[in-house]
Amino acid sequence: MQVIVETLNILDNQLADTKKEVLLQWLSLVGPAILLVILFIFLEVKPFQVSDPYSINVLSLQGDPVKGEGIFQMNCAGCHLSPMNSQVGPSLERISQHKSDLAIIKQVVSGETPPMPQFQPNAQEMADLLIYLKQI
Ligand code: HEC
């Protein structure tokens, strides 16, 4: 009888150990993933950024840089280019080297960085503007 009880105890302990192991294994797999997610949130990195339909539309269109320049002269050059005007905004020369297409679209349409106003170009105008900006 004693032997049976002992055996059962040992079995029980082993079972508990396996459970612990499984839990630890699970934690060692999921733990780093959770940490990574927290890090991404913290750094505002969006590795799986889903673009909004407007941006996808813009990126799918073929822009016309000549039209883009016209749009730029009308709407943006006052702040961004002409040395004659007050240059409120930064120079946009080689902007595409430090901002992605999506970030440029967002900058133009979001109005998140006053005093730069929020623009609402249609997708084709935005595509024209984007291709022009990528050339300067
Ligand atoms: C009223 C002035 C003004 C007008 C008009 C304006 N911007 Fe801006 N823009 C700014 C300012 C100021 C910033 C800097 C904002 C910040 O980052 O705080 C800026 C920033 C930007 C940036 C980011 C620059 C960088 O180095 O990250 C882009 C791209 C941009 N503007 C594009 C445009 C485009 C395209 C237009 C026209 C459709 C436009 N802007 C019109 C003032 C203006």
Side-chain angles (χ1 to χ4, degrees):
M1 191 62 193
Q2 182 67 23
V3 175
I4 293 174
V5 171
E6 265 174 25
T7 320
L8 275 179
N9 266 341
I10 289 169
L11 271 178
D12 198 37
N13 278 339
Q14 270 178 356
L15 212 66
D17 280 351
T18 349
K19 267 190 200 157
K20 253 186 248 165
E21 256 169 45
V22 170
L23 190 71
L24 277 177
Q25 247 175 16
W26 185 79
L27 268 182
S28 67
L29 282 175
V30 174
I34 293 176
L35 278 182
L36 215 63
V37 168
I38 293 174
L39 196 74
F40 276 153
I41 293 173
F42 187 66
L43 296 176
E44 287 188 58
V45 179
K46 295 179 192 109
F48 312 110
Q49 187 173 40
V50 186
S51 314
D52 57 301
Y54 174 78
S55 300
I56 293 173
N57 197 1
V58 170
L59 294 179
S60 73
L61 291 169
Q62 178 71 45
D64 176 349
V66 176
K67 284 189 185 148
E69 181 171 10
I71 298 170
F72 186 84
Q73 293 302 338
M74 293 264 291
N75 299 283
C76 326
C79 290
H80 280 292
L81 209 65
S82 165
M84 266 89 80
N85 291 323
S86 67
Q87 268 190 284
V88 183
S91 162
L92 297 182
E93 234 181 315
R94 288 187 290 276
I95 178 76
S96 60
Q97 283 176 15
H98 70 264
K99 258 195 160 59
S100 71
D101 292 2
L102 279 178
I104 294 177
I105 295 173
K106 186 166 177 244
Q107 170 78 38
V108 173
V109 300
S110 75
E112 275 172 10
T113 54
M116 179 160 154
Q118 179 177 25
F119 292 90
Q120 290 172 320
N122 67 36
Q124 184 60 58
E125 288 165 344
M126 188 64 234
D128 297 344
L129 199 51
L130 189 62
I131 191 91
Y132 170 70
L133 287 177
K134 286 165 82 163
Q135 292 179 356
I136 58 176

